[in-house]
Amino acid sequence: LILTLTLSSSIYSKAQSDIEEVKTDNKPNILFVPGINDSFYTTMERGLRTAAEKYNVNITISEYPQVWSDEEQIAILKKTLSLNKYDLLIISPTFTESIISSLREIHNNGIEIMTLDTFIGDGDYSVPSEFSFPLTHIGTDNFLGGFNIAEEMALMLDEKGIIYVINTIGDTSSVMARESGFRAGMSHYPNIELIVEYCQNNQELAREMTLAALQENPDISGIFGVNVFCAQGSYEAVVNVGLTGTIRIASWDATESLIKAIKDGQIDLVLAQKPVEMAELAIEWASKYFYSNVDIPKKVLSGFEFFTAENVDDPNIQKYIYWE
Ligand code: T6T
């Protein structure tokens, strides 16, 4: 501990000298701004709080945006920053481009930035660019996850058929990388056709759009729901029209209801991200930034797991179910 503190003092005192309101406990103050109020981010919040204790930093969680919106997120960000002084902002930017200028301004005002789950620009901060100012990006390899799901679905469908892909909004880094990975995986299967639509990250809309798609295209034999809201809305539509089992379903995000749907035979595959591990990595690297003299990698991946009917009752996998 003594060694760590000695190494760190030069770095941390630099950040501290900018703080008007001196914190009594002398720990770095970190602010997290989530993307939306869902169980992925609330699970991540718990991970951040536990890790903050372990790594000796203070964490504040901002108000949650209620919809996926750059305007709402930037307003929350600005309001929260006006109330207190922070050394580091960890944020899940809702959009890749529209948030860059606000974040750059914050960075120019002396607050370090990390992106968590979603990123800005193309997420490569190792090459100098107008968006390379964050310390690092920490998240899931969304492209790889999408690619793996494509391979699994191709197998399930005997390499033929029509798959309905329900995504949220273009210009959101995480979900668009999932879609790109899925398309790349499916490019090896010429007899599989994709229909891709966007539900604005709204579960009800996802349900209605899936219903309409199934009515218009009775040959749809597979569905990929690209995040919590798309996955929950689309599988509900399939259950409502009584097509459970006929349509094979892969979902992204391990919410309690999607895992229950696997148990009930309504969904075939769920990709679980690791929001707790993602959060811990962010806090661990933040702590290293403040307390030790190490280079911070520009990208850190937190991994993912698959739930299927075969492993859904295994406690080793159940620990990845998101908390409600
Ligand atoms: O899938 C997660 C997150 O990774 C993504 O960036 C946005 O949607 C979720 O929060 C799920 O709703």
Side-chain angles (χ1 to χ4, degrees), residues 38-41 43 228 252-256 259 271-275 318-324:
D38 68 10
S39 62
F40 171 78
Y41 286 115
T43 303
V228 167
W252 191 292
D253 282 321
T255 62
E256 277 182 7
I259 299 306
L271 183 148
Q273 300 191 83
K274 298 185 173 177
Q318 283 195 333
K319 66 179 181 215
Y320 296 114
I321 300 174
Y322 304 170
W323 295 313
E324 292 300 322

Side-chain angles (χ1 to χ4, degrees), residues 102-123:
S102 303
L103 293 185
R104 194 186 304 109
E105 196 184 321
I106 289 165
H107 185 252
N108 290 345
N109 284 333
I111 301 177
E112 288 297 345
I113 295 178
M114 268 188 192
T115 56
L116 187 60
D117 173 50
T118 50
F119 51 72
I120 50 173
D122 67 4

Side-chain angles (χ1 to χ4, degrees), residues 36 38-41 117 140 142 149 168 174-175 178 201 224-232 235 250-260 262 267 269-275 278 304-307 320-322 324:
I36 196 168
D38 68 10
S39 62
F40 171 78
Y41 286 115
D117 173 50
T140 300
N142 290 292
I149 289 180
T168 65
S174 53
V175 293
R178 293 169 201 172
N201 214 21
F224 171 32
V226 181
N227 84 338
V228 167
F229 301 105
C230 306
Q232 292 183 167
Y235 106 83
S251 297
W252 191 292
D253 282 321
T255 62
E256 277 182 7
S257 63
L258 292 171
I259 299 306
K260 180 171 181 302
I262 286 209
I267 290 183
L269 186 73
V270 168
L271 183 148
Q273 300 191 83
K274 298 185 173 177
M278 212 186 270
F304 52 82
E305 302 285 337
F306 284 107
F307 280 82
Y320 296 114
I321 300 174
Y322 304 170
E324 292 300 322

Side-chain angles (χ1 to χ4, degrees), residues 76-96:
I76 288 174
L77 176 60
K78 292 195 168 158
K79 190 178 101 188
T80 316
L81 287 177
S82 73
L83 298 174
N84 231 319
K85 294 276 175 190
Y86 294 96
D87 304 296
L88 171 71
L89 164 67
I90 303 181
I91 185 165
S92 304
T94 44
F95 292 92
T96 52

Side-chain angles (χ1 to χ4, degrees), residues 39-76:
S39 62
F40 171 78
Y41 286 115
T42 51
T43 303
M44 184 181 269
E45 170 176 349
R46 296 213 202 171
L48 288 167
R49 292 195 187 283
T50 310
E53 293 273 317
K54 179 169 165 191
Y55 289 100
N56 205 28
V57 297
N58 293 322
I59 185 85
T60 300
I61 314 290
S62 79
E63 191 187 318
Y64 279 75
Q66 293 306 314
V67 290
W68 194 263
S69 143
D70 44 2
E71 268 178 35
E72 191 185 350
Q73 189 180 43
I74 292 170
I76 288 174

Side-chain angles (χ1 to χ4, degrees), residues 266-284:
Q266 295 166 329
I267 290 183
D268 297 282
L269 186 73
V270 168
L271 183 148
Q273 300 191 83
K274 298 185 173 177
V276 172
E277 288 74 1
M278 212 186 270
E280 173 152 3
L281 283 167
I283 297 295
E284 184 184 347

